[in-house]
Amino acid sequence: MRVDLRTRAGQVLQRCQKLALFSEDAGSLRRTFLSAPMRDCHREIASWLQPLGLSPRIDAAGNLRALYPAAASGAPRLFIGSHLDTVPNAGAFDGVLGVVLAVALLESLDGKRLPFAIELVGFSEEEGVRFSTPFLGSLALVGRLSESHLAKTDSRGISVREAIESFGLHPAELPGAAMSRDTLAFLEFHIEQGPALENLGLSLAVVDAISGQTRLEFRFSGRANHAGTTPMDLRHDALAAAAEWIAAVEREARRTPGLVATVGSIQAKPGVANVIPGDVRATLDVRHASDGARTQAVAKLTHLAEEIAARRGLAVAHTLLLEQPAIPMDPFLSGQIETAIRAAGCKPHHMTSGAGHDAMILAGSVPSGMIFLRTPGGISHDPAESVLPADVEKALECGMQLLAQLASSS
Ligand code: HGY
Ligand code: MN
Ligand code: MN
């Protein structure tokens, strides 16, 4: 039964909202690696895929996988997908929209078979919330999920390996999660998560590259003491030192073109009003389209932390959590995406993504491309995150065009 694009776009939005109900928290959305709500999410998506004759499976890294066969056996495959995990207090579209759009594209084929198979993938962990290590799902797809990844532990001391086992999966089967050698390409639809498309009044963008990112944890070690009896000049206040450093981080980022730097989380111990904090842990997330500019900024911000700590009589140490270089998307695929965006009646905008995506992991192994949808208000990683139904309609039309183009060029 042919469904018109508007109806299908409306269904995409409803489905994203439905998946947003599967959360670890009451009243807000948080769905982390192999949590119980992730299983509900898998079940719901599987219920949409079964009528297409697809039998979805969960691979050993917890990725949802479903293969839509080609016209002929032995044909190569195109991967389409994004991530199903979220940040805490998330919006309903980051990651999930790319998976739900992939389902809608399979439905729009109405049983038609192409010269290539299409494998839908819903990645299990892109944000890195539970284990402070992003991309666990896509790393498994490219065969790069290492023993050190599996040994990472969450706040309860549970390792990635144990989380996989308690979800009923088997780490020994991780090699089987790697994508097959006959993979043509990887395509990811995603919300822009920033203000560019809205400021330009455009629906869709071609992502030419994804900015690199460095994530670290800094630990300021001072001297806890009594808040009432310790004179100001005798203090080694770890939180005051961190505060001075955080202001310096913001100042440095503001005056460096193209640089963004964020201290997203801070924990002060012992964390009570009448004790001078002796121990502070703070995260730092640094991004730039140029790897040189990013690594230079990380070195400068690290030196600043050391200088502030020394002046205040504290110690400071840092741990690297993630070092992800900037990654260009595949030029041929980006050209095809641009053509498809035009064919969908939109003016294509080319841009670099400030946000990280699974495409940056896949791009190291297969030609990868991304299509952005406008993010109203540029708001993301927040319940106010949204997409416009008309843009979803355009994304579907672009996706169908793209499949037709790739089929005719196969
Ligand atoms: O943090 C990011 O760039 C993405 O949302 N994981
Ligand atoms: Mn995100
Ligand atoms: Mn995302």
mmCIF file of all heavy atoms in Angstrom, residues 348-365:
data_model
loop_
_atom_site.group_PDB
_atom_site.id
_atom_site.type_symbol
_atom_site.label_atom_id
_atom_site.label_comp_id
_atom_site.label_asym_id
_atom_site.label_seq_id
_atom_site.Cartn_x
_atom_site.Cartn_y
_atom_site.Cartn_z
ATOM 1 N N PRO A 348 21.105 22.520 -1.345
ATOM 2 C CA PRO A 348 21.997 21.807 -0.413
ATOM 3 C C PRO A 348 23.027 22.743 0.200
ATOM 4 O O PRO A 348 23.616 23.557 -0.482
ATOM 5 C CB PRO A 348 22.688 20.772 -1.297
ATOM 6 C CG PRO A 348 22.626 21.328 -2.667
ATOM 7 C CD PRO A 348 21.438 22.255 -2.748
ATOM 8 N N HIS A 349 23.197 22.655 1.498
ATOM 9 C CA HIS A 349 24.245 23.427 2.185
ATOM 10 C C HIS A 349 25.351 22.439 2.549
ATOM 11 O O HIS A 349 25.071 21.326 2.986
ATOM 12 C CB HIS A 349 23.649 24.053 3.453
ATOM 13 C CG HIS A 349 24.657 24.742 4.329
ATOM 14 N ND1 HIS A 349 25.432 25.787 3.875
ATOM 15 C CD2 HIS A 349 25.035 24.518 5.608
ATOM 16 C CE1 HIS A 349 26.235 26.193 4.840
ATOM 17 N NE2 HIS A 349 26.020 25.445 5.907
ATOM 18 N N HIS A 350 26.594 22.823 2.357
ATOM 19 C CA HIS A 350 27.735 21.959 2.744
ATOM 20 C C HIS A 350 28.304 22.467 4.062
ATOM 21 O O HIS A 350 28.490 23.668 4.229
ATOM 22 C CB HIS A 350 28.826 22.006 1.667
ATOM 23 C CG HIS A 350 28.509 21.183 0.458
ATOM 24 N ND1 HIS A 350 29.052 19.936 0.234
ATOM 25 C CD2 HIS A 350 27.652 21.408 -0.575
ATOM 26 C CE1 HIS A 350 28.593 19.448 -0.911
ATOM 27 N NE2 HIS A 350 27.739 20.324 -1.413
ATOM 28 N N MET A 351 28.568 21.540 4.979
ATOM 29 C CA MET A 351 29.100 22.002 6.270
ATOM 30 C C MET A 351 29.926 20.924 6.958
ATOM 31 O O MET A 351 29.857 19.742 6.588
ATOM 32 C CB MET A 351 27.938 22.431 7.186
ATOM 33 C CG MET A 351 26.972 21.337 7.580
ATOM 34 S SD MET A 351 25.562 22.024 8.523
ATOM 35 C CE MET A 351 26.372 22.375 10.073
ATOM 36 N N THR A 352 30.680 21.367 7.958
ATOM 37 C CA THR A 352 31.419 20.452 8.842
ATOM 38 C C THR A 352 30.566 20.245 10.092
ATOM 39 O O THR A 352 29.959 21.195 10.597
ATOM 40 C CB THR A 352 32.782 21.073 9.223
ATOM 41 O OG1 THR A 352 33.570 21.165 8.044
ATOM 42 C CG2 THR A 352 33.522 20.206 10.245
ATOM 43 N N SER A 353 30.543 19.031 10.579
ATOM 44 C CA SER A 353 29.752 18.746 11.783
ATOM 45 C C SER A 353 30.585 19.032 13.034
ATOM 46 O O SER A 353 31.697 18.506 13.173
ATOM 47 C CB SER A 353 29.319 17.271 11.807
ATOM 48 O OG SER A 353 28.741 16.976 13.071
ATOM 49 N N GLY A 354 30.053 19.832 13.930
ATOM 50 C CA GLY A 354 30.716 20.063 15.225
ATOM 51 C C GLY A 354 30.472 18.880 16.156
ATOM 52 O O GLY A 354 31.274 18.582 17.027
ATOM 53 N N ALA A 355 29.348 18.183 15.926
ATOM 54 C CA ALA A 355 29.047 17.021 16.758
ATOM 55 C C ALA A 355 29.766 15.799 16.185
ATOM 56 O O ALA A 355 29.998 15.696 14.987
ATOM 57 C CB ALA A 355 27.540 16.769 16.778
ATOM 58 N N GLY A 356 30.096 14.872 17.064
ATOM 59 C CA GLY A 356 30.682 13.608 16.622
ATOM 60 C C GLY A 356 29.568 12.670 16.196
ATOM 61 O O GLY A 356 28.425 12.808 16.635
ATOM 62 N N HIS A 357 29.888 11.726 15.321
ATOM 63 C CA HIS A 357 28.874 10.771 14.847
ATOM 64 C C HIS A 357 29.537 9.426 14.545
ATOM 65 O O HIS A 357 30.748 9.379 14.273
ATOM 66 C CB HIS A 357 28.196 11.287 13.570
ATOM 67 C CG HIS A 357 27.482 12.578 13.772
ATOM 68 N ND1 HIS A 357 26.285 12.662 14.454
ATOM 69 C CD2 HIS A 357 27.812 13.847 13.418
ATOM 70 C CE1 HIS A 357 25.915 13.926 14.490
ATOM 71 N NE2 HIS A 357 26.814 14.668 13.888
ATOM 72 N N ASP A 358 28.717 8.374 14.537
ATOM 73 C CA ASP A 358 29.260 7.051 14.200
ATOM 74 C C ASP A 358 29.903 7.044 12.811
ATOM 75 O O ASP A 358 30.820 6.254 12.544
ATOM 76 C CB ASP A 358 28.133 6.010 14.265
ATOM 77 C CG ASP A 358 27.682 5.767 15.705
ATOM 78 O OD1 ASP A 358 28.537 5.357 16.527
ATOM 79 O OD2 ASP A 358 26.502 6.010 16.012
ATOM 80 N N ALA A 359 29.440 7.940 11.948
ATOM 81 C CA ALA A 359 30.010 8.004 10.582
ATOM 82 C C ALA A 359 31.515 8.258 10.634
ATOM 83 O O ALA A 359 32.257 7.821 9.745
ATOM 84 C CB ALA A 359 29.320 9.089 9.771
ATOM 85 N N MET A 360 31.981 8.905 11.711
ATOM 86 C CA MET A 360 33.431 9.201 11.769
ATOM 87 C C MET A 360 34.234 7.922 12.073
ATOM 88 O O MET A 360 35.415 7.845 11.777
ATOM 89 C CB MET A 360 33.719 10.342 12.746
ATOM 90 C CG MET A 360 33.609 10.101 14.194
ATOM 91 S SD MET A 360 33.469 11.636 15.179
ATOM 92 C CE MET A 360 34.828 12.638 14.607
ATOM 93 N N ILE A 361 33.560 6.942 12.652
ATOM 94 C CA ILE A 361 34.241 5.646 12.902
ATOM 95 C C ILE A 361 34.162 4.788 11.626
ATOM 96 O O ILE A 361 35.136 4.180 11.197
ATOM 97 C CB ILE A 361 33.572 4.917 14.083
ATOM 98 C CG1 ILE A 361 33.644 5.792 15.341
ATOM 99 C CG2 ILE A 361 34.196 3.542 14.295
ATOM 100 C CD1 ILE A 361 35.034 6.149 15.820
ATOM 101 N N LEU A 362 32.967 4.781 11.021
ATOM 102 C CA LEU A 362 32.770 3.965 9.794
ATOM 103 C C LEU A 362 33.660 4.471 8.653
ATOM 104 O O LEU A 362 34.182 3.687 7.854
ATOM 105 C CB LEU A 362 31.299 4.015 9.374
ATOM 106 C CG LEU A 362 30.326 3.022 10.013
ATOM 107 C CD1 LEU A 362 30.554 1.639 9.433
ATOM 108 C CD2 LEU A 362 30.377 2.972 11.506
ATOM 109 N N ALA A 363 33.865 5.801 8.628
ATOM 110 C CA ALA A 363 34.587 6.418 7.494
ATOM 111 C C ALA A 363 36.022 5.905 7.374
ATOM 112 O O ALA A 363 36.645 5.976 6.323
ATOM 113 C CB ALA A 363 34.580 7.932 7.634
ATOM 114 N N GLY A 364 36.535 5.359 8.484
ATOM 115 C CA GLY A 364 37.892 4.791 8.422
ATOM 116 C C GLY A 364 37.919 3.447 7.695
ATOM 117 O O GLY A 364 38.983 2.922 7.362
ATOM 118 N N SER A 365 36.732 2.886 7.455
ATOM 119 C CA SER A 365 36.684 1.548 6.833
ATOM 120 C C SER A 365 35.919 1.516 5.523
ATOM 121 O O SER A 365 36.247 0.712 4.641
ATOM 122 C CB SER A 365 36.023 0.551 7.809
ATOM 123 O OG SER A 365 36.778 0.488 8.990
#
